[in-house]
Amino acid sequence: MEYITLSNGVNVPALGLGTFMMSPEDTENAVYQALKTGYRMVDTANAYLNEEAVGKALARAIREGIVKREDVFISTKLWPTLYENDKAVDDTLTRPGVRRPDRKSVV
């Protein structure tokens, strides 16, 4: 897997799976299969309504020993009108299971 180093030093996989316009069921299956085949980046968004499905697939892949949480980069987005709403930020990280409201990692 090739990585791109961001200006803050974070390494992001150069190739990722986008989940725009995928149903939750299709998202869960596609993300799980992508992780099995070597993808380590998944893109979702609050508006896609499939963040929970991304989290379910990630949790399954972790349980089955396919990936470690620290090896997977998940990007998600909020609608601009929600930027100043701290609850919206916590919710969009909680839905895929990557952060609880207490700001600790779930998986």
Side-chain angles (χ1 to χ4, degrees):
M1 173 66 63
E2 290 187 40
Y3 289 83
I4 298 167
T5 303
L6 303 179
S7 62
N8 63 358
V10 173
N11 290 320
V12 179
L15 178 65
L17 177 72
T19 63
F20 179 62
M21 305 245 341
M22 282 188 188
S23 70
E25 297 79 22
D26 288 344
T27 299
E28 188 173 345
N29 185 51
V31 170
Y32 175 76
Q33 293 300 325
L35 293 171
K36 275 182 68 171
T37 60
Y39 280 70
R40 294 298 179 260
M41 197 275 272
V42 178
D43 176 73
T44 186
N46 172 268
Y48 300 174
L49 304 175
N50 60 17
E51 291 170 312
E52 287 181 13
V54 169
K56 287 179 183 179
L58 176 60
R60 179 180 172 194
I62 291 169
R63 266 193 325 273
E64 294 179 7
I66 295 167
V67 296
K68 295 179 184 174
R69 172 61 189 101
E70 59 268 20
D71 295 334
V72 180
F73 189 95
I74 298 176
S75 65
T76 190
K77 300 162 288 296
L78 282 174
W79 202 256
T81 58
L82 299 173
Y83 288 170
E84 294 182 12
N85 179 343
D86 287 341
K87 183 172 178 354
V89 172
D90 286 336
D91 287 349
T92 207
L93 295 172
T94 301
R95 276 188 293 275
V98 295
R99 187 181 289 177
R100 295 182 188 146
D102 65 2
R103 301 184 192 260
K104 293 181 182 173
S105 178
V106 174
V107 292

